Amino acid sequence: MTDARVTAVSRSATHTFGKTGRPGIRLLAGLGVEGDAHLGVTVRHRSRVARDPTQPNLRQVHLIPAELHDELEGAGFSVAAGQLGENITTRGVDLLGLPVGALLRLGGEARVEITGLRNPCLQIDAFQPGLLRQVVSRDEAGRLIRRAGVMGVVVAGGEVRPGDAIEVELPPPPHRPLDRV
């Protein structure tokens, strides 16, 4: 994973579906992306706030691999970085294959601990009809496969910019596979 890189960074101060690309974002330890609507110690996603606003925010940062954008383009969709709501777009990291607790070192200082899979909702089809079927499917055994990126919490703050290197540190075994969070 030596060629793993950040390809784009995005944020939105309001609860919009997509996020606007930026030249850089600042991650704040224990909170998330400075200036983003999902910044906070407790949940900020509206559906989760409605259920229990005291839940810890395990979805401070949303990451999607640029390889998914490539695949979607090959299937006839036009999706740019940030348009699916991600804060950080990566290339060269198998985000979906990481275990719970994997640590991503982004650039010089920032560290994000992976907490789980993004559980995409019907808003994706409002963005582009048929897109939900591309990012959520079932395997031969009927298990759900979610491919709309991963979520994480900021364990060390810092600036993150396109072009920054990404290093992956795996937690000690046994590794737990990612599930929706």
Side-chain angles (χ1 to χ4, degrees):
M1 290 191 209
T2 56
D3 292 334
R5 297 267 169 214
V6 172
T7 61
V9 294
S10 308
R11 68 177 167 86
S12 176
T14 61
H15 286 278
T16 56
F17 180 71
K19 297 181 186 285
T20 305
R22 308 283 177 174
I25 57 174
R26 174 167 285 285
L27 301 185
L28 303 175
L31 296 171
V33 179
E34 184 176 59
D36 193 80
H38 297 107
L39 177 80
V41 174
T42 57
V43 293
R44 294 295 186 250
H45 286 77
R46 290 182 286 189
S47 64
R48 291 164 190 261
V49 168
R51 281 190 298 235
D52 178 3
T54 66
Q55 295 176 72
N57 188 2
L58 301 178
R59 300 165 55 104
Q60 296 173 357
V61 181
H62 178 200
L63 301 97
I64 282 185
E67 292 85 352
L68 176 62
H69 293 160
D70 298 343
E71 185 181 322
L72 293 172
E73 183 177 327
F77 294 90
S78 177
V79 180
Q83 287 186 316
L84 295 180
E86 74 270 23
N87 300 110
I88 300 173
T89 310
T90 67
R91 186 169 295 281
V93 178
D94 179 13
L95 293 175
L96 301 177
L98 294 173
V100 171
L103 189 67
L104 299 182
R105 298 170 183 258
L106 307 163
E109 300 172 356
R111 307 292 182 261
V112 173
E113 182 179 330
I114 303 303
T115 56
L117 297 169
R118 176 186 182 195
N119 189 32
C121 65
L122 291 174
Q123 289 182 14
I124 287 181
D125 272 349
F127 171 64
Q128 288 185 39
L131 195 53
L132 184 61
R133 274 193 313 265
Q134 298 294 316
V135 297
V136 177
S137 60
R138 292 196 180 269
D139 66 13
E140 303 80 33
R143 293 180 298 253
L144 270 179
I145 299 171
R146 294 174 179 90
R147 301 179 330 116
V150 299
M151 307 305 287
V153 295
V154 181
V155 295
E159 291 287 327
V160 180
R161 302 183 191 295
D164 281 352
I166 302 170
E167 295 178 32
V168 177
E169 182 181 320
L170 297 177
H175 294 156
R176 290 186 304 135
L178 296 177
D179 197 3
R180 73 182 175 118
V181 57

